[in-house]
Every structure is written in structure tokens, then in C-alpha cells.
Amino acid sequence: MSVFEAQETVALSIDEVFALSRRVLTGAGLSVPHAEAVARAITAGERDECASHGLYRLPGCVMTIRSGKLSLDAEPVVEDASPALVRADARHGYSLLAFERAAPLLAQKAKAVGVAALVINNCFHFSALWPEIEQLTEMGVAALAMTPSHSWVAPAGGRKGLLGTNPIAFGWPRPGPYPYVFDFATSAIARGDMALHDIAGKLIPEGWGVDAEGRPTTNARAALDGAMLTFGGHKGSALSTMIELMAGPLIGDLTSRESMAFDDGAKAAPMHGELILAFDPAIMGGGDAEANAARAEALFAAFADQGARLPSQRRYKARARSLKHGVRTPKVLYDQIQALGF
Ligand code: NDP
Ligand code: PYC
């Protein structure tokens, strides 16, 4: 349920969300290719009712643009590094354009050798991972993506920020338009969602964060100023640490702690790397790809048999609704975006 459920809203079509995002981003100085890649991600988030990674992100993008740290017109350099490795240097631009430019080669390599990796380096990253995963499943490959962020999250047993909110997302191509996709932070909740709780004056459950003194809190502001906690205790903490390593030192890029140091109080989006793996079901499955796909479908069907839903089902329902009726954005957010003056 949205934290803004009871608030006054403004109705927008999907095209209006994109146009508004593009206008603000180019108005703030971002080059057109970057602005359009970012606007596509923001529009997808708003369309799928992912409030923490939709229009809510626009004021933060403007802050990142004004920080002086982001390259506003960086041309990503895509390198065919080995038969199974694509490297994209975002050159301190946003991650999304680098991903869009490199993703077709990643899928092509996975289809040639079975499994391939895309390493994105030196990118500012603020977006949800599922739009990237869906682009890859549309190309017929299964995919796994992960990225650090800023060190807002305490490790299990600790009380101070060290790990990022570190999202991990996976996608499996299915017949029809809706792949199996999950995408979540390894913190108990994304920081964006924690901030939305703060803005809405809504309490957070115990276990999401501790205050600046390390005491458990149900106050979102106190947890944002203190430290967030991982989901699943030591399990989320270890998974988050794996993401720090795999999408950090393994690919020659920054950990969340180093990203925070790079930021140095500018309050820009985190700057680090991203790792995306792609798998070709035909090569990896060896024998009968159709039979393997049917067995995956049988697994998904068994969820429904016991009344369980698949991850992304809520999003896909929201998408169908938004494409038909448009979206409703909190008026307070809409006014904040208009007040940016672009
Ligand atoms: P959630 O805790 O809401 O988990 C989201 C995932 O779990 C979605 O795939 C969701 O599907 C699925 N899900 C939720 N409830 C159920 C259920 N009852 N049954 C089955 N599946 C369910 O989200 P988070 O707060 O952890 O993350 C939100 C977003 O924040 C992600 O998209 C992530 O990429 C982004 N993020 C980005 C970061 C970055 O650095 N770029 C950092 C951290 C987070 P559905 O959507 O259909 O509900
Ligand atoms: O919501 O945790 C988050 C987040 C961090 C960077 C982008 N989103």
C-alpha cells in the first residue's frame, strides 16, 4: 500500500510523466541522451507504481546534476573485453545510458557462449534494477543484476552504516509479456521507501533501522539519520556483502563506503559500478529448451495453486492500470517538481 494513499493527487498520462521528467532533466543541464534514458526509468517506475523510484527521484536527480560531480554529457565507452565480458565505462555519467548501449552485446555474448557478464564502471546510480532486467529477458536471456549504493546500512551485529542498500534483481524469460522478475534492496526496505515513510509521517516497523545512538527505532527520520538494517539479519548482511564485493572490488570499482567518501557530503546519487550477468537457457539447459521452459512454467503454476503470487505481479497489474488510465502522483511531489522551475 502506498504511504501516500490518503493524499491529494494529480492525474498524469504516461506520456506526461516522461515529458515532465525529460523537461526537468534537460532543463537542469543533462544531455538529451542521458535525460531520455533517465526519464524512461523514472516513467517505468511511476507507471508500475514503484513510488520510491518514480517521479520522487526527480528532485534528487536535479541535486545530483547540481553537485558538480556528475558528467552531464558523458559518452559511455563500451568495450568487447572478452568472449564473455562486456565492459562499459560510464565515465561518471548516469548508469542507464551505459546499460542501454551495452545490453545488446551482453545478450549476444550470452547466446554465443552460455553465460556472459556486463561490468559497468564509474556510474552514478539511482534507479531500480527491474527495468534493466526486463530489457534482458525481452532479449531471451535470464539475468541477474546487483549494485552497491552508499553506506547507510549496518551489518548484522553492528549499529553504524557500512553496507549499501545494495539491490539484487533476477529475471527469467517467460512466454508472453511478463517475465518472472524479483528486485529488492538487501536492506529491510529501500532507502527511498524509508524516506517516503518520513515524508508521510508514517511509523516504520521495528527491524528496519536504529537511531544515531544505535537504539531500535520506529521513527523513519531517526533511522535515516542513524543506520538502516539488512533484511533477514545475518543472511541479508552476507548477501549485501557479496554485492559489495562482486559489484565493487571484483569489477575494480567502489564499495558503498568508498562511494559515500567520494560523495563527501554533496548528497548526489551514489557513484560506483554495477554487475549484470546473463544466461542463455538454450545453451545452459543442454538438451530440450522447450521442455526446460515448460518445467519452469510448472513451477510458477504451482505458486498460483496455493494462492501465492509471484514477485512483479503487483507491478504488472499496476502497469496495465496505468497504461489504461494514467497515474496519480501525490500533489505535494508534483508541486515540488514544478517548483524546481524547469
Ligand atoms: P520490496 O521489499 O517491496 O521488494 C520488492 C520485490 O519483492 C519486488 O520484486 C516485489 O514484487 C516482490 N514482492 C513484494 N511483496 C511480495 C509478495 N507478497 N509476494 C511475492 N513477491 C513480493 O522492495 P525494496 O524496498 O527492497 O526495493 C524497492 C526497489 O528499490 C527495487 O526496485 C530496487 O532495485 C530499488 N533499489 C535501488 C537501489 C539502487 O542503489 N539503485 C538501492 C536499493 C533499492 P512487486 O513489485 O510486484 O510487489
Ligand atoms: O532506495 O535505497 C535506495 C536507493 C539507493 C540508491 C538508489 N535508490
Side-chain angles (χ1 to χ4, degrees):
M1 199 209 303
S2 163
V3 290
F4 290 116
E5 203 91 319
Q7 295 207 6
E8 193 182 346
T9 55
V10 173
L12 295 171
S13 71
I14 301 300
D15 288 347
E16 285 171 332
V17 173
F18 179 81
L20 174 64
S21 305
R22 189 186 184 284
R23 191 183 80 224
V24 168
L25 293 163
T26 54
L30 200 58
S31 72
V32 168
H34 276 290
E36 291 188 344
V38 171
R40 275 191 283 278
I42 286 178
T43 304
E46 197 68 16
R47 179 201 64 198
D48 282 15
E49 296 179 8
C50 298
S52 64
H53 288 80
L55 282 173
Y56 162 72
R57 289 285 158 180
L58 265 186
C61 287
V62 171
M63 204 185 290
T64 298
I65 290 167
R66 288 177 173 160
S67 71
K69 290 186 177 269
L70 175 82
S71 169
L72 304 182
D73 58 358
E75 269 300 308
V77 175
V78 178
E79 180 198 352
D80 186 340
S82 87
L85 178 63
V86 187
R87 190 179 288 281
D89 184 352
R91 299 172 69 221
H92 296 95
Y94 274 122
S95 62
L96 292 154
L97 191 61
F99 175 84
E100 286 184 6
R101 298 263 173 93
L105 183 57
L106 170 66
Q108 189 185 314
K109 282 183 179 296
K111 286 177 182 177
V113 295
V115 56
L118 166 60
V119 164
I120 303 179
N121 288 123
N122 307 317
C123 63
F124 281 79
H125 203 296
F126 78 93
S127 45
L129 298 183
W130 58 259
E132 299 179 352
I133 292 289
E134 284 192 26
Q135 287 175 57
L136 289 168
T137 55
E138 260 172 47
M139 296 180 207
V141 292
L144 184 65
M146 61 195 80
T147 185
S149 61
H150 273 342
S151 48
W152 293 305
V153 184
R159 295 182 306 172
K160 289 193 177 358
L162 171 63
L163 304 167
T165 48
N166 301 1
I168 183 161
F170 170 77
W172 177 270
R174 299 185 66 187
Y178 298 123
Y180 174 90
V181 177
F182 73 71
D183 175 17
F184 51 73
T186 44
S187 45
I189 190 83
R191 190 169 181 86
D193 248 319
M194 184 90 97
L196 289 177
H197 278 73
D198 176 38
I199 293 164
K202 218 179 151 191
L203 291 179
I204 56 169
E206 275 188 33
W208 282 15
V210 292
D211 68 16
E213 277 72 49
R215 295 173 305 216
T217 183
T218 54
N219 180 299
R221 186 70 257 158
L224 290 167
D225 293 341
M228 300 172 71
L229 296 174
T230 58
F231 82 86
H234 62 284
K235 300 181 185 182
S237 186
L239 191 59
S240 180
T241 309
M242 180 199 81
I243 295 168
E244 293 286 340
L245 296 171
M246 297 283 284
L250 179 76
I251 62 168
D253 220 310
L254 302 188
T255 62
S256 296
R257 199 159 60 139
E258 292 164 339
S259 169
M260 190 82 117
F262 174 87
D263 187 69
D264 197 23
K267 294 198 185 307
M271 203 293 295
H272 44 68
E274 180 177 352
L275 175 65
I276 304 114
L277 304 173
F279 310 87
D280 179 58
I283 297 182
M284 294 203 66
D288 187 340
E290 256 179 52
N292 288 335
R295 289 174 39 246
E297 289 305 308
L299 176 67
F300 298 139
F303 276 72
D305 288 348
Q306 55 176 283
R309 77 151 164 108
L310 296 177
S312 292
Q313 258 177 327
R314 177 205 61 80
R315 260 192 328 103
Y316 297 149
K317 277 190 193 153
R319 183 180 305 181
R321 214 170 26 243
S322 299
L323 290 172
K324 203 163 166 194
H325 303 295
V327 299
R328 300 205 70 93
T329 297
K331 186 168 181 309
V332 63
L333 172 61
Y334 184 77
D335 290 347
Q336 190 193 351
I337 291 169
Q338 295 297 347
L340 292 169
F342 300 111

